[in-house]
Structures are given as structure tokens and as C-alpha cells.
Amino acid sequence: MTDDERTARVTLSRVVEPGDEVCGRWVREIGAREALRCLSEGDRQPRGMTDTRWAGLRARAERADPEGDLARAREAGVRFVCPGDSEWPAQLDDLGDGRPLGLWVRGLSSLRIWALRSVAVVGARACTEYGAHMAATLGAGLAERGWVVVSGGAYGVDGAAHRGALGAGGATVAVLACGVDRPYPRGHTQLITRIAEQGLVIGELPPGDHPTPSRFILRNRVIAALTRGTVVVEAAYRSGALVTARAAQRLGRFTMGVPGPATSSLSAGVHELLRGEAVLVTDAAEVAELVGDMGELAPDRRGPVVPRDLLSPGAQRVLAALPARRPAAVDEIARGAATTTDDAVGRLYELRALGFVERHGDGWKLTRHAPTSVRDHREGR
């Protein structure tokens, strides 16, 4: 990309709102440099754009100062990455005409490399203790498995996910809805500064620009496109986290949800996702199994192993044939176990040696204190 084209994109990042598909199509068709010239001279208005909006864009273009923006970025340790650069994450191109004109990046690592193995963890700002715990646990677990945790730097679930990844010594990316040189929310200044030192802070808006409600919503499409999948920890029905999840679904990314109490309004949006195409996950291993490479499997889930599980199938059938509270004759036990009398006798003596049954005259019954754990069985208690 030429320097003029790059400078034009820097200028347009100050003029055009994130996610503007009309302007995105215009830039794709004629190039950023030509689009900026049209804005300056007032000709070749994009099709589908009203005169009022065209006048507003032209007014913004007159006040734009790309050299000043680049100078402020350099002072803050920020660089501008745009399509065609070696650091540009190609998956953002899936956004079509809504892809960013470029990204302002704060941090030393390569955004493209990090994005190749990344997962978004998002959710409610006013989350519960459970939500914060799950987000932090997921962030730490994913980081320990070599995944980059991407979120929005906000209060609640976002902040917990970032802190979990940082605490595990892992990589995390904060995608902001404002200039990356001015942390927002202000209460997360220390956290976002730490993310910039240990990870990456990125955004579409030039240095010093402020967030707005619409910019938060549009920011979420970048989180969804940048990552292999999105995990929603807690979200009410009208949550921005659901916007991220739905964007991920439209882009063909994995969408996951962490279940919560059925009575919690903060889990209602997650449960709605899970009733659709989202996959239920409970820990980082399950997330990695879904979005990871072949062979990256979560461990099998099962209850505790008890001594009965260690018995052979034949011995289990004989044990199951014994009445709960009275002795039984061998022929009765054999019928219940669907085996011969001789086989039942052999199994009963095996079970007696293991402490499961005892003999009462000509009958057999369950012992009152059969072993209840593998450890008890192995130690002969």
C-alpha cells in the first residue's frame, strides 16, 4: 500500500463512522485516496448517501488532521494497521464492506499472529460474582492452553476475562470503542495500560476520539470477526454481548454460552442463545475442543469412580441380583443374574473377598458396610 493511500485511510478513520457499509463499498470501488479527493472537492457522491450526510462527511474531512493524528499515535506508542499490511488479520475481511478502514494498535505483538488463535469472552457489565468467576476462570484456562483472550475492556465479564488471562501470564486483546490512547472506562485505566504492556489494545477510532453508544455496538463486530469463536458468560435479553454472538453466527464463527441459574435475568440471553445454535460450555477445555485443532479434546466428564465400577460385568450382575435387606439362596441369585448356579457361587465368593457380600447359612446377603470408595477398597478397609 502506498503512503498516500495509508494517509487517506488515516484521514477517513476520522471522517467515517465504524461499520459504515456505504462508505466501505465506496472505498473498495475507487480507493481511499480517490474517496478523500471526492470529499475534498465535493464530486462523485457515493450512491445511496443523502445530501445531508454527504455534507456532514465533507465538514469532518475539512477538520481532519492526519499528520497530527499520526504524531499523537507515535507519542502514545500506537501504530496504524490497514488492509494489505503484513500485520492485518485477514479474517476481518469477512466483514465485507463493513470491515474497518484500518486499526489503531497499541502494544508490541503482531495482531495477525495473535488473532489466528483467539477466542472472544464477553458478557454483562453488571455481572454477578458467578459471572465474574466464570469469566476469569475461562480467561486463565484459555491463556494456559495458548489461546489469546479477546474482549472489550469493559466492566464486569470483559474485565474479569482480561484479568484471568493476564494473571495466567497469557495473551489478551482489548478492542475499544474509542481512541486507544485514552482508556475507557476510566476506572479500567490501570487494566488497559497493563493489557497494552502485556498484550494488545486495538480500535478503529483515531487518537483522542470518544466512545458513543453506537460505537460500542459496532465495535462488537470486530471482536466477533477477529476470533475463532465467541463465549457469552452472562447476558440479559438486551445485551451488547448478544450482538457480538449474533455477529459471530453470521460470520460462521463458533458461538458458545456458559449456563447460569434459570431464575437469573442475566443468564436469560445466554439461555436463549443455547436454545438456538450456540454450544453449551463450562470450562476452557470445552471451548478449546470446539474451536481448536483436531485432537485438542476436553477430558471425558464422569462421576467419581466407586468400587462397583471395578467389578467384572458378571460380578456386577450377581451383586445386582441380591435383595437389599434379606439373605437369598444361590439358585434365586443365579436366576436374577441370568447365569448358572456354579457361576453364581464363584462370583459370590469373589464378592465376599472384596467385602460386598456375606454368607448367612445357606443364603447370601449384602454386607452392611460395603466399600464406598476406591481408596477404601485398595487399602482393604
Side-chain angles (χ1 to χ4, degrees), residues 318 329-349 362 364:
V318 168
V330 172
D331 58 348
E332 177 187 352
I333 296 170
R335 287 195 302 273
T339 189
T340 65
T341 301
D342 290 342
D343 181 63
V345 169
R347 302 292 187 184
L348 287 166
Y349 277 103
D362 292 332
W364 294 82

Side-chain angles (χ1 to χ4, degrees), residues 49 52 84 104 124 216 258 343 348:
M49 182 175 291
T52 300
W104 300 87
F216 281 116
V258 176
D343 181 63
L348 287 166

Side-chain angles (χ1 to χ4, degrees), residues 128-374:
T128 65
E129 289 186 10
Y130 163 78
H133 169 76
M134 290 302 300
T137 302
L138 281 170
L142 288 166
E144 288 169 353
R145 287 168 171 78
W147 287 88
V148 177
V149 176
V150 179
S151 198
Y155 293 130
V157 166
D158 289 16
H162 288 307
R163 290 189 180 96
L166 292 170
T172 188
V173 177
V175 184
L176 304 188
C178 59
V180 298
D181 61 327
R182 51 180 300 174
Y184 187 90
R186 294 288 182 85
H188 272 181
T189 297
Q190 185 175 0
L191 172 63
I192 292 173
T193 300
R194 187 181 172 197
I195 293 172
E197 294 170 350
Q198 188 172 323
L200 292 171
V201 178
I202 69 173
E204 296 177 74
L205 294 160
D209 223 340
H210 61 281
T212 65
S214 63
R215 288 173 173 179
F216 281 116
I217 295 299
L218 291 163
R219 175 273 310 272
N220 293 342
R221 82 194 194 289
V222 176
I223 295 176
L226 194 66
T227 54
R228 287 201 195 178
T230 294
V231 185
V232 183
V233 177
E234 279 186 327
Y237 281 122
R238 292 176 56 84
S239 170
L242 298 185
V243 175
T244 309
R246 289 171 186 139
Q249 289 176 337
R250 288 194 300 272
L251 292 165
R253 309 294 197 261
F254 294 103
T255 308
M256 296 151 278
V258 176
T263 54
S264 171
S265 62
L266 282 176
S267 290
V270 180
H271 295 162
E272 187 69 19
L273 281 176
L274 292 174
R275 292 179 63 191
E277 298 178 1
V279 177
L280 187 152
V281 293
T282 60
D283 60 21
E286 292 174 351
V287 175
E289 178 180 38
L290 186 65
V291 304
D293 300 321
M294 187 176 294
E296 199 165 346
L297 302 177
D300 292 336
R301 310 296 181 181
R302 56 173 297 171
V305 177
V306 297
R308 185 186 295 258
D309 296 332
L310 304 178
L311 298 174
S312 65
Q316 288 184 18
R317 287 194 296 271
V318 168
L319 183 62
L322 268 78
R325 294 183 175 85
R326 64 174 177 83
V330 172
D331 58 348
E332 177 187 352
I333 296 170
R335 287 195 302 273
T339 189
T340 65
T341 301
D342 290 342
D343 181 63
V345 169
R347 302 292 187 184
L348 287 166
Y349 277 103
E350 176 186 341
L351 291 168
R352 185 176 75 169
L354 294 172
F356 285 97
V357 302
E358 56 192 20
R359 186 169 181 177
H360 283 257
D362 292 332
W364 294 82
K365 68 177 293 186
L366 297 171
T367 58
R368 294 183 60 187
H369 303 290
T372 57
S373 71
V374 175

Side-chain angles (χ1 to χ4, degrees), residues 11-67:
T11 306
L12 291 173
S13 74
R14 176 71 70 180
V15 174
V16 177
E17 282 296 306
D20 187 328
E21 294 190 0
V22 172
C23 288
R25 184 188 66 236
W26 189 42
V27 170
R28 173 174 57 80
E29 291 174 348
I30 68 174
R33 182 181 177 186
E34 178 62 13
L36 187 58
R37 187 199 64 76
C38 292
L39 277 168
S40 300
E41 299 181 7
D43 60 358
R44 294 187 65 182
Q45 182 174 329
R47 65 182 186 274
M49 182 175 291
T50 65
D51 292 341
T52 300
R53 190 171 167 213
W54 176 246
L57 290 179
R58 292 199 64 204
R60 279 189 173 188
E62 289 175 1
R63 296 192 299 271
D65 178 17
E67 296 304 328

